[in-house]
Amino acid sequence: MVAPSKLALTGATGFIGAALIARLVGAGWHVRALYRPRTGRIPPRLPGVEWLPGNLEDQGTLNALVAGTDAVIHCAGVVRGACRSDFDPVNAAGAGRVARAAASQDRGPRFLLISSLAARMPQLSHYAASKWRGECAVKAAAENMRWTVLRPPAVYGPGDRELLPLFRCIAKGFAPLPAGTDRRFSLIYVDDLAMAVLRWLEADAGYGQTFELDDGCPGGYSWDTVLTHAGRALREGAVVRRVPIPVPLLYLVALANFAAARLFGYAPMLTPGKLREIMHPDWLCDNRALTLATGWRPTCGLELGLARAYGKHLPG
Ligand SMILES: NC(=O)c1ccc[n+]([C@@H]2O[C@H](COP(=O)([O-])OP(=O)(O)OC[C@H]3O[C@@H](n4cnc5c(N)ncnc54)[C@H](OP(=O)(O)O)[C@@H]3O)[C@@H](O)[C@H]2O)c1
């Protein structure tokens, strides 16, 4: 097992990055973390964490970020947007820049890219395509660098903003969901993802590979099973009513949101591309390859994860 030393982390100020920092520092790693300075932002003082101001556009900052580290974890990304130009500069070009910085080091650090299961289907959305391009950019930059790609499915837990609105509705007893046949998908609790990263660091294995990972729920989830688990965790088992929204109506809302986002310049979540991702029938993962390579196993199913993340009080 590899002893903890120094690593570089991007995306540390985000939802998944916060869980990563907690696990990495807890295991004794010294973390050099990139953050984007903005008015009023003071990164938290944490023992074992050295904050470096900058962004993914600045190759000089990225070289300083990775200098002298044993591993680089690239987690920064854009998850909301309307157009290719909202995603690619960070998810594709940014990933390539961090990888080039790492690959140019004399004592090349190992490189872990937090990609997305969406990269499996790049034709579905600008987000999915950007994550796939990010993977390609890392591989193209790698030369002799030892790289690994992790493709998580939808991640939930404390600090998440994307699934939280749905869990809030469920806690109130209803769930607005696309009408029609059910899809199957995987989920993962954010701390299980952080543990997978830690196991990868410790195992020093799995290079040149792309791994999918989930919470180990056999056959994944349908919306009905999500409602059952979430109802138990958030409503003490009381019934959650499914409110079916016709898919054409959802597309209209997504189109309107897309147009409004371009007009008013905000980063939308529900767009036609996001809806195509949601409607895709199969987002199931298989943990076996990652478990074989690193020994990691998930420990937290949906019911337990929701109870851990929110208890009985969802953030307002
Ligand atoms: N959440 C999920 O369900 C999920 C599922 C699969 C994969 N992922 C992937 O996991 C990664 C993290 O997602 P998240 O949910 O934690 O997103 P998040 O909460 O929005 O965090 C994104 C992070 O990336 C940073 N970032 C964005 N643009 C940057 C730039 N130009 N320069 C430097 N840093 C930049 C953000 O910094 P600021 O704080 O300054 O904005 C933030 O730290 C992403 O790559 C995403 O694609 C997420």
Side-chain angles (χ1 to χ4, degrees), residues 9 34 36 47 50-51 69 108 127 133 168 180-181 185 190-192 194 199-200 206 225 242 285 289 298:
L9 175 65
L34 184 73
R36 289 193 290 185
E50 169 198 343
W51 292 95
T69 60
Y127 171 71
R133 285 190 203 101
R168 275 206 199 106
T181 50
F185 48 90
V190 68
D191 187 54
D192 265 342
R199 291 285 170 262
W200 173 82
T225 53
R242 185 172 172 159
C285 301

Side-chain angles (χ1 to χ4, degrees), residues 155-157 160 162-176 187 223 226-227 229-231 234-235 302 306 309-310 314:
V155 186
Y156 69 96
D160 161 54
E162 312 308 334
L163 286 171
L164 182 62
L166 175 66
F167 294 137
R168 275 206 199 106
C169 291
I170 291 176
K172 290 179 183 150
F174 70 100
L187 292 169
W223 282 118
V226 167
L227 297 194
H229 288 287
L234 304 173
R235 284 178 57 76
L302 181 58
L306 287 175
Y310 305 121
L314 270 77

